[in-house]
Amino acid sequence: MTFWGCHIKPGDKFSVAAGTGGEVLHLSQACLHEPKDGKNFLQVNDGKATYAIACLKKGKEETASFDLFFRTGSCSFLNTGSSEIHLTGYFEPDGMGDDEDEEEEEEDDDEEEEDEEEEMEPPPKKAKK
């Protein structure tokens, strides 16, 4: 994983370019920097539509936590408020979500379950005389 961060000045837009650090950006947090009065809407544009993902306000909600994933090269963030917003997150390692990796993990899990079942079997009963 590679750390990622950006500063978005009031009224500005920040585009996440392809090849910046990975194919998938995990957005973790937004924070007001030197907050001023008024609401600050953080918006994301995914290339098709624009969505508000946070409303930050001095003295009330100065930070927001996320668990959002964006494909690089197709998203941009907008700050419609009067305060600078800092965004932080990380790039997912290349190859995350590959089917082959998931299949291997499932096979490993199945083997572990079989081993646990074998360990839990009671010893055979002694024959009565």
Side-chain angles (χ1 to χ4, degrees):
M1 290 183 268
T2 305
F3 175 81
W4 173 86
C6 77
H7 306 149
I8 309 174
K9 300 222 181 274
D12 280 356
K13 173 180 169 180
F14 182 88
S15 296
V16 182
T20 306
E23 292 180 17
V24 177
L25 171 66
H26 178 259
L27 182 63
S28 302
Q29 184 169 334
C31 181
L32 291 178
H33 177 69
E34 297 177 359
K36 297 176 178 52
D37 290 333
K39 292 182 179 180
N40 298 273
F41 288 95
L42 174 62
Q43 299 176 322
V44 64
N45 183 293
D46 66 356
K48 299 174 189 169
T50 300
Y51 305 94
I53 58 172
C55 178
L56 304 173
K57 189 172 181 182
K58 178 181 179 179
K60 302 254 181 192
E61 296 290 331
E62 294 187 5
T63 64
S65 296
F66 304 105
D67 189 19
L68 299 173
F69 296 85
F70 300 97
R71 177 116 1 241
T72 58
S74 65
C75 73
S76 56
F77 299 99
L78 300 99
N79 175 359
T80 63
S82 57
S83 300
E84 184 174 309
I85 297 176
H86 290 193
L87 301 180
T88 56
Y90 59 89
F91 287 103
E92 289 286 332
D94 289 337
M96 283 296 290
D98 286 348
D99 290 341
E100 291 177 14
D101 291 341
E102 289 176 14
E103 288 174 10
E104 287 177 16
E105 287 177 16
E106 288 175 11
E107 289 174 8
D108 291 343
D109 290 344
D110 290 344
E111 289 174 8
E112 288 175 13
E113 287 175 14
E114 289 173 9
D115 291 343
E116 288 174 9
E117 288 174 8
E118 289 174 8
E119 291 173 9
M120 295 175 62
E121 288 181 21
K125 292 182 179 180
K126 295 182 181 178
K128 291 184 180 179
K129 293 185 182 179

